[in-house]
Amino acid sequence: MSEFTVDDLRQVVREVAGADAGVDVEGAAPGATYEEIGLDSLAVLEIAARLAQRTGREIPEGLVEKETTLQDTVALLRARSAA
């Protein structure tokens, strides 16, 4: 698998958020938290599940949380794929 990027993560967030008008994925800075872009805890859990599917790696519960930034999530995924 090629290196996971913030743009890849944005695609996953778009898939989870769908047409939710309260979610600003495109305008979100890499340092924005999931909560800041308008996602609730259920959406964050769904993002973690989809990331596990995409990467083929288990994402431990709590690794992706509402307080985690997009950039932090990408760094965590890269670290897990390097391990």
Side-chain angles (χ1 to χ4, degrees), residues 24-39:
D24 182 15
V25 179
E26 301 311 319
T33 66
Y34 294 107
E35 190 168 43
E36 290 170 342
I37 62 174
L39 296 171

Side-chain angles (χ1 to χ4, degrees), residues 37-83:
I37 62 174
L39 296 171
D40 63 17
S41 57
L42 288 176
V44 175
L45 288 173
E46 179 62 24
I47 288 168
R50 290 189 187 211
L51 291 173
Q53 282 180 318
R54 283 221 175 158
T55 63
R57 294 192 171 267
E58 183 178 338
I59 307 294
E61 190 174 321
L63 186 64
V64 178
E65 298 177 0
K66 284 176 32 174
E67 295 78 24
T68 303
T69 67
L70 302 176
Q71 194 169 17
D72 290 343
T73 302
V74 170
L76 290 167
L77 290 170
R78 288 178 180 171
R80 290 185 65 74
S81 69

Side-chain angles (χ1 to χ4, degrees), residues 2-35:
S2 62
E3 191 169 272
F4 202 82
T5 67
V6 171
D7 286 335
D8 294 329
L9 179 55
R10 282 192 176 111
Q11 176 62 38
V12 172
V13 172
R14 276 192 296 275
E15 291 168 7
V16 170
D20 187 340
V23 177
D24 182 15
V25 179
E26 301 311 319
T33 66
Y34 294 107
E35 190 168 43

